[in-house]
Amino acid sequence: MSIPTLPDAFVEKHAAKGWPVGLAGVALVIIGTFMSWSFDPNILGDLSVYGYPGGLQILAIILSLLALVLLLTVKGPLASRLGQWLDAALGLRALGLWLLIYMVGVILAIATDSSGLVNVDPGGWISFVGAVLVFAGSQVIPLRELRDLGRARLPGWFEIAAVAVVMAGVLFGAAYALAREDAWSFVLVLVFAGGTVAAMFRTGTMGWFGHVATRRRKVLTLAAFAVAFFFPFTQQGSDANMSIATSVLIFAATAIGLNIVVGLAGLLDLGYIAFLGAGAYVASSLSRSAFATIDWHPPFLVIVLLGGCVSATLGLIIGTPTLRVSGDYLAIVTLGFGEIFRFSMFNLDGNNGPNLTNGPNGIPGIPELAVGGFNFGDEHVVAGITLGRFSNYYFLLLLLMAFVILVFTRLNNSRIGRGWVAIREDEKAAEAMGVNVFGLKLLAFAVGAFLAGLAGTIKAHQDGATSPDQYIFLESAFLLAAIVLGGMGTIAGVLLGATILKLLPEKLRFFSEYRLLLFGLTLVLMMRFRPEGLVANKRRLLEFHEEDEKLATAVESELVEEAK
């Protein structure tokens, strides 16, 4: 989100007022949080108590304290130590804007869930006025040139501790956000997180953390998987949240496979959901369901490999004749393939063809997955916390995700990955340089389809049923949107995009009639303000911002540092 700026002459004239106005705003926000915000105790988790801030009031206090730290960095006891490194003025502008958005959201939530603004108590208005003052004061504090915080080198133990603190914040922040059952509370927690991250970006702190993550990549990877592993233990056995988490992992694993095709090789595939469906139908047909059509029940590991291989074979079948075309023509052909797959599943019902899929009825009653003596449908108590069936599937999907990420990373950093990138950038030039264009395109389709097939075999058991209606074109569109939204060619971006597209519709059900409208609006805004995605690949970042010489220099130095 771009931060509104005032004319330089106006800023220079009122610069002396910015700091005291900002301090006054911080004080008012904090004072207001110790008063009642809402007359109705049933709104936003009971904000009607005096002298004892509620959850959302505590978040407002945290944003205010961050603003105070930045104010003291601009002018105060922290200026001599942090003022040379942190871009406190720019960070304060971002934080002031998000704090104002947060308080506007609180006022709207109270007014919407009650009979109007009359139910907003004085504390809410005091904190709102304070947010306005913080925002106004931040706009007239002049900016200045600082050192590049990303170049700062700190002791190794401090950098490792920073990684640990950030990842722990992600874990407990996610647990706190998912615990908000009220949609408005969930939105406000997201605004709080957005404001914190925006301030970190603007101050340069996130840039420094990016350099630390590059230098401590193994530590970051281990910390990320540790956070993912401990996540179910923060949900107190909540099947609802763990169901969302397993859906996110299946969606993300499939999207990473599509990322090979779209993000690396640059091939627009609009029928990719068919490969996920192929894996699911293989697992369903070979399961012990009463409606299964194949009387052979091999071990699950064999089923997983069969599902991946069947999907890869379909990738080769569709890829061999169609990869001779490119661009819009390839998109249309793959879209047709996705619809052919869905209608084929309808017709393989014993009347229009062999009975393999039970037609539109699909294959219901798929039993819970059992590996050895471990049944994924049973509850298990670990450290006093009950882990249900979705938690069991979650851990299995974590192993699948680790494998998918390993495959993507190895291929991306290999000669094959460089060949895919060359094809994406300029197919004719790559062919002229001796790159086997057709072979690499076909390999991208096969590998991407294989990974989707693996995810499909687990999805069948988790859902308990497989039907053709699960694999419509809209699902392929959402997979592609996750890649575009998160950042093509990246792993973190796809994970973030998949989480957003799967989590938000579940938590914002009061927008049920407008979810697709909001989704489309989000994509339009992304294409306008950040076309490279939320987590941008460095090469694509330069493609979209070729005129930014400072960015080019920074990216070049980062690539050199990674090469070391």
Side-chain angles (χ1 to χ4, degrees), residues 14-23 67-84 86-89 92 141-142 144:
H14 298 280
K17 304 174 185 177
W19 195 76
V21 169
L23 281 181
L68 178 62
V69 170
L70 294 178
L71 283 167
L72 296 179
T73 303
V74 171
K75 179 184 176 183
L78 300 179
S80 59
R81 292 182 176 272
L82 299 178
Q84 297 179 355
L86 288 181
D87 198 343
L92 188 61
I141 293 178
R144 57 176 179 168

Side-chain angles (χ1 to χ4, degrees), residues 460-472:
H461 285 276
Q462 182 206 297
D463 292 346
T466 302
S467 66
D469 292 333
Q470 294 176 301
Y471 306 103
I472 59 177

Side-chain angles (χ1 to χ4, degrees), residues 18 51 83 106 131 144 274 344 357 383 399 422 472 530:
V106 169
R144 57 176 179 168
S344 297
T357 65
L399 294 177
I472 59 177
R530 195 171 176 83

